[in-house]
Amino acid sequence: MRVEVDLTVCTGHGICEAIADDVFEVGDDGMVRIIEPERPESDRERMQQAVTQCPAAALRLVD
């Protein structure tokens, strides 16, 4: 599974970082950076939570 971000719609709220600060990092420019986009299956629930709670709908999971 891979988590991806669409930087054209990311608004830098940081909710994803609050959910998984080991995966997401909001930079000084207000854009999220994915530290390790390839995630183990055991991380699916947490990644799905980040995707669902993103107010800009900038995140998605790809199997």
Side-chain angles (χ1 to χ4, degrees), residues 26-31:
V26 177
D28 293 337
D29 61 356
M31 293 293 148

Side-chain angles (χ1 to χ4, degrees), residues 28-41:
D28 293 337
D29 61 356
M31 293 293 148
V32 72
R33 182 175 77 87
I34 300 175
I35 299 165
E36 258 186 68
E38 295 294 333
R39 307 305 307 162
E41 188 60 33

Side-chain angles (χ1 to χ4, degrees), residues 22-52:
D22 60 322
V23 179
F24 304 100
E25 178 180 67
V26 177
D28 293 337
D29 61 356
M31 293 293 148
V32 72
R33 182 175 77 87
I34 300 175
I35 299 165
E36 258 186 68
E38 295 294 333
R39 307 305 307 162
E41 188 60 33
S42 60
D43 235 1
R44 182 173 292 275
E45 185 175 327
R46 191 167 64 131
M47 294 303 98
Q48 188 61 55
Q49 182 182 8
V51 167
T52 303

